[in-house]
Amino acid sequence: MPMDIRTGDILELKKAHPCGSREWKVLRVGMDFKLRCLGCGHEVMSPRAKAEKSIKKVKREETAP
């Protein structure tokens, strides 16, 4: 079953990006995730299954209704 990942979430991944950051912002969700590195701004498209395996923690900014 797919994880509950939404646009705007911050994902902490198991492995660091070459720039040293482990945090990525979710820009698009679907069969693929579009992610932006919060360290250097690099954007990547990653298949959902591969991205979900590498997620360590999901940080979500709760919005008041």
Short mmCIF file of all heavy atoms in Angstrom, two decimals:
data_model
loop_
_atom_site.label_atom_id
_atom_site.label_comp_id
_atom_site.label_asym_id
_atom_site.label_seq_id
_atom_site.Cartn_x
_atom_site.Cartn_y
_atom_site.Cartn_z
N MET A 1 0.85 -1.19 0.00
CA MET A 1 0.00 0.00 0.00
C MET A 1 0.89 1.24 0.00
O MET A 1 1.85 1.32 0.76
CB MET A 1 -0.87 -0.01 1.26
CG MET A 1 -1.88 1.10 1.27
SD MET A 1 -3.18 0.73 2.44
CE MET A 1 -3.37 2.32 3.15
N PRO A 2 0.57 2.23 -0.87
CA PRO A 2 1.42 3.43 -0.94
C PRO A 2 1.35 4.27 0.32
O PRO A 2 0.34 4.30 1.02
CB PRO A 2 0.85 4.21 -2.13
CG PRO A 2 -0.36 3.51 -2.58
CD PRO A 2 -0.50 2.24 -1.83
N MET A 3 2.46 4.96 0.59
CA MET A 3 2.52 5.85 1.75
C MET A 3 1.70 7.11 1.46
O MET A 3 1.46 7.45 0.31
CB MET A 3 3.97 6.26 2.02
CG MET A 3 4.87 5.11 2.39
SD MET A 3 6.59 5.61 2.53
CE MET A 3 6.56 6.53 4.04
N ASP A 4 1.30 7.80 2.53
CA ASP A 4 0.55 9.05 2.38
C ASP A 4 1.54 10.20 2.26
O ASP A 4 1.93 10.81 3.25
CB ASP A 4 -0.37 9.25 3.59
CG ASP A 4 -1.19 10.53 3.49
OD1 ASP A 4 -1.47 10.96 2.36
OD2 ASP A 4 -1.52 11.09 4.54
N ILE A 5 1.96 10.46 1.03
CA ILE A 5 2.89 11.55 0.74
C ILE A 5 2.11 12.60 -0.04
O ILE A 5 1.42 12.27 -0.99
CB ILE A 5 4.09 11.06 -0.11
CG1 ILE A 5 4.79 9.89 0.56
CG2 ILE A 5 5.05 12.21 -0.38
CD1 ILE A 5 5.46 10.20 1.86
N ARG A 6 2.22 13.84 0.38
CA ARG A 6 1.49 14.93 -0.29
C ARG A 6 2.45 15.99 -0.80
O ARG A 6 3.56 16.13 -0.29
CB ARG A 6 0.52 15.59 0.70
CG ARG A 6 -0.47 14.62 1.29
CD ARG A 6 -1.37 15.34 2.27
NE ARG A 6 -2.07 14.36 3.10
CZ ARG A 6 -2.59 14.63 4.28
NH1 ARG A 6 -2.47 15.83 4.80
NH2 ARG A 6 -3.21 13.69 4.96
N THR A 7 1.97 16.77 -1.76
CA THR A 7 2.75 17.89 -2.27
C THR A 7 3.02 18.86 -1.12
O THR A 7 2.13 19.16 -0.33
CB THR A 7 1.96 18.61 -3.38
OG1 THR A 7 1.65 17.66 -4.39
CG2 THR A 7 2.78 19.73 -4.00
N GLY A 8 4.26 19.30 -1.01
CA GLY A 8 4.64 20.23 0.05
C GLY A 8 5.30 19.56 1.24
O GLY A 8 5.89 20.23 2.08
N ASP A 9 5.20 18.22 1.33
CA ASP A 9 5.86 17.50 2.43
C ASP A 9 7.38 17.59 2.28
O ASP A 9 7.90 17.73 1.17
CB ASP A 9 5.48 16.01 2.42
CG ASP A 9 4.06 15.76 2.89
OD1 ASP A 9 3.40 16.71 3.34
OD2 ASP A 9 3.62 14.60 2.80
N ILE A 10 8.07 17.51 3.40
CA ILE A 10 9.53 17.45 3.41
C ILE A 10 9.91 16.02 3.76
O ILE A 10 9.48 15.50 4.78
CB ILE A 10 10.14 18.43 4.45
CG1 ILE A 10 9.64 19.86 4.21
CG2 ILE A 10 11.66 18.35 4.42
CD1 ILE A 10 10.04 20.48 2.91
N LEU A 11 10.68 15.38 2.90
CA LEU A 11 11.11 14.00 3.12
C LEU A 11 12.56 13.98 3.57
O LEU A 11 13.40 14.65 2.98
CB LEU A 11 10.98 13.18 1.83
CG LEU A 11 9.63 13.17 1.14
CD1 LEU A 11 9.70 12.32 -0.13
CD2 LEU A 11 8.55 12.64 2.07
N GLU A 12 12.84 13.22 4.62
CA GLU A 12 14.22 12.98 5.02
C GLU A 12 14.57 11.59 4.50
O GLU A 12 13.94 10.61 4.87
CB GLU A 12 14.37 13.04 6.54
CG GLU A 12 15.82 12.89 6.97
CD GLU A 12 15.99 12.97 8.48
OE1 GLU A 12 15.25 13.71 9.13
OE2 GLU A 12 16.89 12.27 8.98
N LEU A 13 15.58 11.52 3.62
CA LEU A 13 15.96 10.26 3.01
C LEU A 13 17.11 9.61 3.76
O LEU A 13 17.82 10.26 4.52
CB LEU A 13 16.34 10.48 1.54
CG LEU A 13 15.27 11.12 0.67
CD1 LEU A 13 15.74 11.19 -0.79
CD2 LEU A 13 13.95 10.39 0.75
N LYS A 14 17.27 8.30 3.54
CA LYS A 14 18.32 7.54 4.23
C LYS A 14 19.71 7.96 3.79
O LYS A 14 20.62 8.06 4.60
CB LYS A 14 18.13 6.05 3.97
CG LYS A 14 16.87 5.48 4.61
CD LYS A 14 16.69 4.03 4.25
CE LYS A 14 15.37 3.51 4.80
NZ LYS A 14 15.05 2.17 4.31
N LYS A 15 19.89 8.19 2.48
CA LYS A 15 21.21 8.58 1.96
C LYS A 15 21.22 10.07 1.65
O LYS A 15 20.23 10.63 1.17
CB LYS A 15 21.53 7.80 0.69
CG LYS A 15 21.71 6.31 0.94
CD LYS A 15 22.02 5.59 -0.33
CE LYS A 15 23.52 5.55 -0.54
NZ LYS A 15 23.90 4.83 -1.75
N ALA A 16 22.34 10.70 1.90
CA ALA A 16 22.47 12.14 1.63
C ALA A 16 22.74 12.38 0.15
O ALA A 16 23.36 11.57 -0.53
CB ALA A 16 23.61 12.73 2.46
N HIS A 17 22.27 13.52 -0.35
CA HIS A 17 22.58 13.99 -1.70
C HIS A 17 24.06 14.38 -1.71
O HIS A 17 24.62 14.70 -0.65
CB HIS A 17 21.67 15.20 -1.98
CG HIS A 17 21.71 15.67 -3.39
ND1 HIS A 17 22.24 16.88 -3.74
CD2 HIS A 17 21.26 15.12 -4.53
CE1 HIS A 17 22.13 17.05 -5.05
NE2 HIS A 17 21.54 15.99 -5.55
N PRO A 18 24.72 14.39 -2.86
CA PRO A 18 26.14 14.79 -2.89
C PRO A 18 26.42 16.16 -2.26
O PRO A 18 27.52 16.40 -1.78
CB PRO A 18 26.47 14.80 -4.38
CG PRO A 18 25.57 13.75 -4.95
CD PRO A 18 24.28 13.86 -4.15
N CYS A 19 25.42 17.05 -2.21
CA CYS A 19 25.63 18.35 -1.59
C CYS A 19 25.64 18.26 -0.06
O CYS A 19 25.99 19.21 0.62
CB CYS A 19 24.56 19.35 -2.04
SG CYS A 19 22.95 19.08 -1.31
N GLY A 20 25.21 17.10 0.49
CA GLY A 20 25.23 16.90 1.93
C GLY A 20 23.87 16.92 2.60
O GLY A 20 23.72 16.53 3.74
N SER A 21 22.84 17.40 1.88
CA SER A 21 21.50 17.49 2.46
C SER A 21 20.77 16.16 2.34
O SER A 21 20.90 15.45 1.35
CB SER A 21 20.70 18.58 1.74
OG SER A 21 19.38 18.60 2.21
N ARG A 22 19.96 15.83 3.35
CA ARG A 22 19.11 14.64 3.31
C ARG A 22 17.65 15.01 3.09
O ARG A 22 16.80 14.14 2.99
CB ARG A 22 19.20 13.87 4.63
CG ARG A 22 20.50 13.20 4.89
CD ARG A 22 20.46 12.52 6.25
NE ARG A 22 21.74 11.95 6.56
CZ ARG A 22 22.08 10.69 6.30
NH1 ARG A 22 21.21 9.88 5.76
NH2 ARG A 22 23.27 10.24 6.61
N GLU A 23 17.33 16.29 3.07
CA GLU A 23 15.94 16.74 3.01
C GLU A 23 15.55 17.16 1.60
O GLU A 23 16.28 17.88 0.92
CB GLU A 23 15.70 17.87 4.00
CG GLU A 23 15.87 17.42 5.43
CD GLU A 23 15.40 18.44 6.43
OE1 GLU A 23 15.36 19.64 6.10
OE2 GLU A 23 15.07 18.02 7.55
N TRP A 24 14.36 16.70 1.19
CA TRP A 24 13.81 16.97 -0.14
C TRP A 24 12.37 17.43 0.01
O TRP A 24 11.62 16.90 0.82
CB TRP A 24 13.83 15.71 -0.99
CG TRP A 24 15.21 15.22 -1.29
CD1 TRP A 24 16.05 14.55 -0.45
CD2 TRP A 24 15.91 15.36 -2.52
NE1 TRP A 24 17.22 14.27 -1.08
CE2 TRP A 24 17.17 14.74 -2.36
CE3 TRP A 24 15.60 15.94 -3.75
CZ2 TRP A 24 18.11 14.70 -3.38
CZ3 TRP A 24 16.54 15.89 -4.76
CH2 TRP A 24 17.78 15.28 -4.58
N LYS A 25 11.96 18.40 -0.79
CA LYS A 25 10.57 18.88 -0.81
C LYS A 25 9.83 18.20 -1.95
O LYS A 25 10.37 18.09 -3.05
CB LYS A 25 10.53 20.39 -0.99
CG LYS A 25 9.12 20.94 -0.95
CD LYS A 25 9.12 22.44 -0.90
CE LYS A 25 7.69 22.91 -0.78
NZ LYS A 25 7.56 24.06 0.06
N VAL A 26 8.61 17.72 -1.68
CA VAL A 26 7.79 17.06 -2.69
C VAL A 26 7.09 18.12 -3.54
O VAL A 26 6.33 18.93 -3.02
CB VAL A 26 6.75 16.13 -2.04
CG1 VAL A 26 5.89 15.46 -3.10
CG2 VAL A 26 7.43 15.09 -1.16
N LEU A 27 7.36 18.11 -4.85
CA LEU A 27 6.75 19.07 -5.76
C LEU A 27 5.57 18.46 -6.51
O LEU A 27 4.64 19.16 -6.89
CB LEU A 27 7.78 19.58 -6.79
CG LEU A 27 9.02 20.23 -6.20
CD1 LEU A 27 9.97 20.62 -7.31
CD2 LEU A 27 8.65 21.44 -5.36
N ARG A 28 5.64 17.13 -6.78
CA ARG A 28 4.58 16.45 -7.52
C ARG A 28 4.47 15.02 -7.03
O ARG A 28 5.46 14.39 -6.70
CB ARG A 28 4.90 16.46 -9.01
CG ARG A 28 3.76 15.95 -9.88
CD ARG A 28 4.04 16.19 -11.35
NE ARG A 28 4.81 15.12 -11.96
CZ ARG A 28 4.31 13.93 -12.30
NH1 ARG A 28 3.05 13.64 -12.06
NH2 ARG A 28 5.07 13.02 -12.87
N VAL A 29 3.24 14.51 -6.96
CA VAL A 29 2.98 13.14 -6.50
C VAL A 29 2.17 12.42 -7.56
O VAL A 29 1.28 13.00 -8.16
CB VAL A 29 2.20 13.16 -5.16
CG1 VAL A 29 1.88 11.76 -4.71
CG2 VAL A 29 2.97 13.90 -4.10
N GLY A 30 2.49 11.16 -7.79
CA GLY A 30 1.77 10.33 -8.75
C GLY A 30 2.51 9.02 -8.85
O GLY A 30 2.99 8.49 -7.84
N MET A 31 2.64 8.47 -10.04
CA MET A 31 3.46 7.27 -10.24
C MET A 31 4.93 7.59 -9.97
O MET A 31 5.70 6.73 -9.59
CB MET A 31 3.32 6.74 -11.67
CG MET A 31 2.02 6.00 -11.90
SD MET A 31 1.86 4.53 -10.88
CE MET A 31 3.14 3.49 -11.53
N ASP A 32 5.30 8.84 -10.21
CA ASP A 32 6.64 9.33 -9.92
C ASP A 32 6.52 10.46 -8.91
O ASP A 32 5.49 11.12 -8.82
CB ASP A 32 7.31 9.89 -11.18
CG ASP A 32 7.54 8.85 -12.24
OD1 ASP A 32 7.92 7.73 -11.88
OD2 ASP A 32 7.32 9.16 -13.42
N PHE A 33 7.59 10.69 -8.16
CA PHE A 33 7.67 11.86 -7.28
C PHE A 33 8.61 12.84 -7.95
O PHE A 33 9.66 12.46 -8.47
CB PHE A 33 8.27 11.51 -5.92
CG PHE A 33 7.36 10.75 -4.99
CD1 PHE A 33 7.89 10.01 -3.96
CD2 PHE A 33 5.99 10.77 -5.15
CE1 PHE A 33 7.08 9.32 -3.08
CE2 PHE A 33 5.16 10.07 -4.29
CZ PHE A 33 5.71 9.34 -3.26
N LYS A 34 8.27 14.13 -7.92
CA LYS A 34 9.22 15.17 -8.31
C LYS A 34 9.68 15.79 -7.02
O LYS A 34 8.88 16.27 -6.21
CB LYS A 34 8.57 16.22 -9.21
CG LYS A 34 9.58 17.24 -9.72
CD LYS A 34 9.01 18.10 -10.81
CE LYS A 34 10.10 18.98 -11.38
NZ LYS A 34 9.59 19.82 -12.48
N LEU A 35 10.99 15.75 -6.79
CA LEU A 35 11.57 16.21 -5.53
C LEU A 35 12.59 17.31 -5.78
O LEU A 35 13.29 17.28 -6.79
CB LEU A 35 12.27 15.04 -4.82
CG LEU A 35 11.43 13.79 -4.56
CD1 LEU A 35 12.32 12.66 -4.06
CD2 LEU A 35 10.33 14.08 -3.58
N ARG A 36 12.68 18.26 -4.82
CA ARG A 36 13.70 19.31 -4.89
C ARG A 36 14.56 19.21 -3.65
O ARG A 36 14.07 19.21 -2.52
CB ARG A 36 13.06 20.69 -4.94
CG ARG A 36 14.13 21.81 -4.94
CD ARG A 36 13.54 23.20 -4.93
NE ARG A 36 12.82 23.46 -6.16
CZ ARG A 36 11.65 24.10 -6.22
NH1 ARG A 36 11.08 24.56 -5.13
NH2 ARG A 36 11.06 24.30 -7.36
N CYS A 37 15.88 19.13 -3.86
CA CYS A 37 16.83 19.08 -2.75
C CYS A 37 16.80 20.43 -2.03
O CYS A 37 16.88 21.48 -2.67
CB CYS A 37 18.23 18.80 -3.28
SG CYS A 37 19.49 18.81 -1.99
N LEU A 38 16.67 20.39 -0.70
CA LEU A 38 16.63 21.64 0.07
C LEU A 38 18.04 22.20 0.31
O LEU A 38 18.17 23.31 0.80
CB LEU A 38 15.90 21.43 1.40
CG LEU A 38 14.41 21.10 1.26
CD1 LEU A 38 13.77 20.93 2.62
CD2 LEU A 38 13.68 22.17 0.47
N GLY A 39 19.06 21.43 -0.04
CA GLY A 39 20.43 21.92 0.12
C GLY A 39 20.88 22.75 -1.08
O GLY A 39 21.34 23.87 -0.92
N CYS A 40 20.70 22.19 -2.29
CA CYS A 40 21.23 22.86 -3.48
C CYS A 40 20.16 23.25 -4.50
O CYS A 40 20.47 23.93 -5.47
CB CYS A 40 22.28 21.98 -4.14
SG CYS A 40 21.63 20.42 -4.79
N GLY A 41 18.92 22.77 -4.32
CA GLY A 41 17.85 23.14 -5.25
C GLY A 41 17.73 22.23 -6.46
O GLY A 41 16.89 22.48 -7.32
N HIS A 42 18.52 21.18 -6.53
CA HIS A 42 18.46 20.23 -7.65
C HIS A 42 17.11 19.52 -7.65
O HIS A 42 16.63 19.11 -6.60
CB HIS A 42 19.61 19.22 -7.52
CG HIS A 42 19.70 18.27 -8.66
ND1 HIS A 42 20.21 18.65 -9.88
CD2 HIS A 42 19.36 16.97 -8.77
CE1 HIS A 42 20.18 17.60 -10.70
NE2 HIS A 42 19.66 16.57 -10.04
N GLU A 43 16.49 19.37 -8.84
CA GLU A 43 15.20 18.70 -8.93
C GLU A 43 15.36 17.37 -9.66
O GLU A 43 16.09 17.30 -10.65
CB GLU A 43 14.18 19.57 -9.67
CG GLU A 43 13.78 20.79 -8.88
CD GLU A 43 12.70 21.61 -9.55
OE1 GLU A 43 12.12 21.17 -10.56
OE2 GLU A 43 12.44 22.72 -9.05
N VAL A 44 14.68 16.34 -9.14
CA VAL A 44 14.73 15.01 -9.76
C VAL A 44 13.33 14.41 -9.81
O VAL A 44 12.47 14.74 -9.00
CB VAL A 44 15.66 14.03 -8.99
CG1 VAL A 44 17.09 14.50 -9.01
CG2 VAL A 44 15.19 13.83 -7.58
N MET A 45 13.15 13.52 -10.80
CA MET A 45 11.94 12.69 -10.86
C MET A 45 12.38 11.30 -10.44
O MET A 45 13.38 10.78 -10.94
CB MET A 45 11.39 12.64 -12.29
CG MET A 45 10.83 13.94 -12.79
SD MET A 45 9.29 14.42 -12.02
CE MET A 45 8.17 13.27 -12.77
N SER A 46 11.64 10.69 -9.51
CA SER A 46 11.99 9.37 -9.01
C SER A 46 10.75 8.49 -9.01
O SER A 46 9.68 8.95 -8.61
CB SER A 46 12.54 9.50 -7.59
OG SER A 46 12.83 8.25 -7.05
N PRO A 47 10.87 7.23 -9.47
CA PRO A 47 9.71 6.33 -9.40
C PRO A 47 9.23 6.20 -7.96
O PRO A 47 10.03 6.16 -7.03
CB PRO A 47 10.25 5.00 -9.91
CG PRO A 47 11.50 5.33 -10.65
CD PRO A 47 12.04 6.58 -10.03
N ARG A 48 7.91 6.14 -7.77
CA ARG A 48 7.31 6.11 -6.44
C ARG A 48 7.87 4.98 -5.58
O ARG A 48 8.23 5.19 -4.43
CB ARG A 48 5.80 5.98 -6.56
CG ARG A 48 5.11 6.01 -5.24
CD ARG A 48 3.60 5.87 -5.37
NE ARG A 48 3.00 6.34 -4.15
CZ ARG A 48 2.34 7.48 -4.02
NH1 ARG A 48 2.17 8.26 -5.04
NH2 ARG A 48 1.86 7.83 -2.85
N ALA A 49 7.98 3.77 -6.14
CA ALA A 49 8.44 2.61 -5.36
C ALA A 49 9.86 2.83 -4.84
O ALA A 49 10.15 2.55 -3.67
CB ALA A 49 8.37 1.35 -6.21
N LYS A 50 10.74 3.36 -5.68
CA LYS A 50 12.12 3.59 -5.26
C LYS A 50 12.20 4.70 -4.21
O LYS A 50 12.94 4.57 -3.23
CB LYS A 50 12.97 3.96 -6.49
CG LYS A 50 14.43 4.12 -6.17
CD LYS A 50 15.24 4.41 -7.40
CE LYS A 50 16.70 4.56 -7.02
NZ LYS A 50 17.51 5.05 -8.11
N ALA A 51 11.44 5.75 -4.40
CA ALA A 51 11.46 6.87 -3.46
C ALA A 51 10.93 6.45 -2.09
O ALA A 51 11.49 6.81 -1.06
CB ALA A 51 10.64 8.04 -4.00
N GLU A 52 9.85 5.66 -2.08
CA GLU A 52 9.26 5.24 -0.80
C GLU A 52 10.21 4.36 0.00
O GLU A 52 10.22 4.42 1.22
CB GLU A 52 7.93 4.53 -1.02
CG GLU A 52 6.81 5.49 -1.40
CD GLU A 52 5.47 4.82 -1.54
OE1 GLU A 52 5.38 3.59 -1.48
OE2 GLU A 52 4.48 5.57 -1.72
N LYS A 53 11.03 3.56 -0.67
CA LYS A 53 12.00 2.71 0.03
C LYS A 53 13.07 3.54 0.73
O LYS A 53 13.60 3.11 1.75
CB LYS A 53 12.70 1.76 -0.95
CG LYS A 53 11.85 0.60 -1.38
CD LYS A 53 12.68 -0.31 -2.28
CE LYS A 53 11.80 -1.29 -3.01
NZ LYS A 53 12.57 -2.08 -3.97
N SER A 54 13.40 4.69 0.16
CA SER A 54 14.51 5.48 0.71
C SER A 54 14.07 6.54 1.73
O SER A 54 14.90 7.27 2.24
CB SER A 54 15.29 6.13 -0.43
OG SER A 54 14.48 7.05 -1.12
N ILE A 55 12.77 6.61 2.03
CA ILE A 55 12.28 7.62 2.99
C ILE A 55 12.55 7.17 4.42
O ILE A 55 12.23 6.05 4.80
CB ILE A 55 10.77 7.87 2.79
CG1 ILE A 55 10.51 8.51 1.43
CG2 ILE A 55 10.23 8.76 3.91
CD1 ILE A 55 9.06 8.61 1.06
N LYS A 56 13.15 8.05 5.19
CA LYS A 56 13.41 7.80 6.60
C LYS A 56 12.32 8.45 7.46
O LYS A 56 11.85 7.85 8.41
CB LYS A 56 14.79 8.37 6.96
CG LYS A 56 15.30 8.03 8.32
CD LYS A 56 16.73 8.54 8.44
CE LYS A 56 17.34 8.21 9.77
NZ LYS A 56 18.70 8.75 9.87
N LYS A 57 11.94 9.69 7.10
CA LYS A 57 10.96 10.43 7.90
C LYS A 57 10.20 11.40 6.99
O LYS A 57 10.77 11.93 6.03
CB LYS A 57 11.68 11.21 8.99
CG LYS A 57 10.76 11.81 10.01
CD LYS A 57 11.40 12.57 11.16
CE LYS A 57 12.87 12.54 11.31
NZ LYS A 57 13.37 13.38 12.39
N VAL A 58 8.91 11.63 7.30
CA VAL A 58 8.10 12.60 6.57
C VAL A 58 7.76 13.74 7.52
O VAL A 58 7.25 13.51 8.61
CB VAL A 58 6.78 11.97 6.03
CG1 VAL A 58 5.94 13.02 5.35
CG2 VAL A 58 7.09 10.81 5.12
N LYS A 59 8.08 14.97 7.11
CA LYS A 59 7.73 16.15 7.91
C LYS A 59 6.64 16.89 7.16
O LYS A 59 6.80 17.24 6.01
CB LYS A 59 8.95 17.06 8.07
CG LYS A 59 10.09 16.39 8.78
CD LYS A 59 11.31 17.29 8.81
CE LYS A 59 12.51 16.55 9.36
NZ LYS A 59 13.73 17.33 9.24
N ARG A 60 5.53 17.09 7.83
CA ARG A 60 4.39 17.75 7.19
C ARG A 60 4.05 19.01 7.97
O ARG A 60 3.96 18.99 9.18
CB ARG A 60 3.20 16.79 7.19
CG ARG A 60 1.97 17.38 6.51
CD ARG A 60 0.95 16.31 6.23
NE ARG A 60 1.47 15.40 5.23
CZ ARG A 60 1.19 14.11 5.18
NH1 ARG A 60 0.43 13.55 6.08
NH2 ARG A 60 1.72 13.35 4.23
N GLU A 61 3.86 20.10 7.22
CA GLU A 61 3.45 21.34 7.85
C GLU A 61 1.93 21.31 7.97
O GLU A 61 1.23 21.34 6.97
CB GLU A 61 3.90 22.54 7.01
CG GLU A 61 5.41 22.68 6.97
CD GLU A 61 5.89 23.34 5.68
OE1 GLU A 61 5.06 23.81 4.90
OE2 GLU A 61 7.10 23.36 5.48
N GLU A 62 1.44 21.19 9.19
CA GLU A 62 0.00 21.13 9.42
C GLU A 62 -0.60 22.51 9.21
O GLU A 62 -0.08 23.50 9.69
CB GLU A 62 -0.31 20.64 10.84
CG GLU A 62 0.22 19.25 11.14
CD GLU A 62 -0.44 18.17 10.29
OE1 GLU A 62 -1.61 18.34 9.90
OE2 GLU A 62 0.22 17.15 10.01
N THR A 63 -1.71 22.55 8.49
CA THR A 63 -2.38 23.81 8.27
C THR A 63 -3.71 23.81 9.04
O THR A 63 -4.42 22.83 9.07
CB THR A 63 -2.69 24.05 6.76
OG1 THR A 63 -3.43 22.94 6.27
CG2 THR A 63 -1.39 24.19 5.98
N ALA A 64 -4.01 24.93 9.67
CA ALA A 64 -5.24 25.04 10.46
C ALA A 64 -6.42 25.15 9.49
O ALA A 64 -6.35 25.87 8.49
CB ALA A 64 -5.18 26.26 11.35
N PRO A 65 -7.54 24.47 9.77
CA PRO A 65 -8.70 24.55 8.86
C PRO A 65 -9.37 25.90 8.88
O PRO A 65 -9.29 26.65 9.78
CB PRO A 65 -9.65 23.48 9.41
CG PRO A 65 -9.18 23.12 10.76
CD PRO A 65 -7.75 23.57 10.87
#
